[in-house]
Amino acid sequence: PHARVETDAGGRLRVGGASLFRGYWGAADVDGGSLWPTEDAGAFVDGSLVVLGRLDAVIISGGKKIAPEEIEAAALESGAAEDAAALGVPDAEWGERLVLCFPAGRGDAAALKAFFETRLEGWKRPKKIIALSSWPRDAKGKLNRRELRAALPPEDLAGTFS
């Protein structure tokens, strides 16, 4: 009852209420009547808020927006990987190309590829599926995507995709 949550036309969550901070120095104050934009995407489904992920994590390939969480969820649903991370890597032609990583010894790239062919639209399918021996997590167990990206072999960042 003390907070308001809405989505704008692009799916960005906006929040407001007495428990929200007043704002950043030099910016307009946020009070009970204002809504503050977040960097989270969300939607209301059957009256409940579903947080879809961070807007700054979206991979844009060929002008299409790909939510990494959707690709990761499909990988886990397949049963062909115990863990997964979808990353966008730079590509001169497409802007970014989608790469899916999983911990080495805890997944099957061929099975993932076959599953994605039946479940994901072509533009959402990873261009490369990579088993990595390094699977960095922080003290709370959260995957460190920056370190994971640094662990990608240079040839996988160079745009050699199948």
Side-chain angles (χ1 to χ4, degrees):
H2 67 278
R4 289 186 10 243
V5 179
E6 296 178 5
T7 58
D8 66 15
R12 180 184 305 268
L13 293 177
R14 299 183 320 142
V15 297
S19 64
L20 190 67
F21 76 112
R22 291 187 49 108
Y24 292 108
W25 179 258
D29 281 352
V30 176
D31 59 26
S34 299
L35 292 173
W36 190 260
T38 70
E39 287 300 317
D40 297 305
F44 287 94
V45 178
D46 298 327
S48 295
L49 175 65
V50 177
V51 178
L52 301 172
R54 299 282 299 166
L55 290 170
D56 54 3
V58 170
I59 298 162
I60 302 176
S61 183
K64 301 270 192 176
K65 294 181 181 180
I66 304 167
E69 298 85 3
E70 178 185 359
I71 309 309
E72 294 161 1
L76 297 179
E77 178 190 337
S78 75
E82 292 179 27
D83 203 353
L87 303 171
V89 298
D91 182 81
E93 182 179 355
W94 297 99
E96 289 181 294
R97 293 250 182 157
L98 177 62
V99 172
L100 182 83
C101 306
F102 65 90
R106 295 175 46 207
D108 180 338
L112 283 165
K113 182 177 180 181
F115 183 82
F116 292 149
E117 288 175 0
T118 65
R119 298 293 175 104
L120 297 175
E121 296 167 279
W123 57 273
K124 289 184 179 179
R125 293 180 197 146
K127 303 304 179 226
K128 197 149 216 175
I129 300 173
I130 306 167
L132 293 176
S133 58
S134 175
W135 202 253
R137 294 198 176 272
D138 65 17
K140 294 181 181 178
K142 184 176 178 183
L143 183 63
N144 185 323
R145 291 176 182 276
R146 182 173 289 136
E147 286 184 25
L148 185 67
R149 182 181 301 280
L152 287 174
E155 61 272 15
D156 292 321
L157 294 172
T160 53
F161 294 91
S162 55

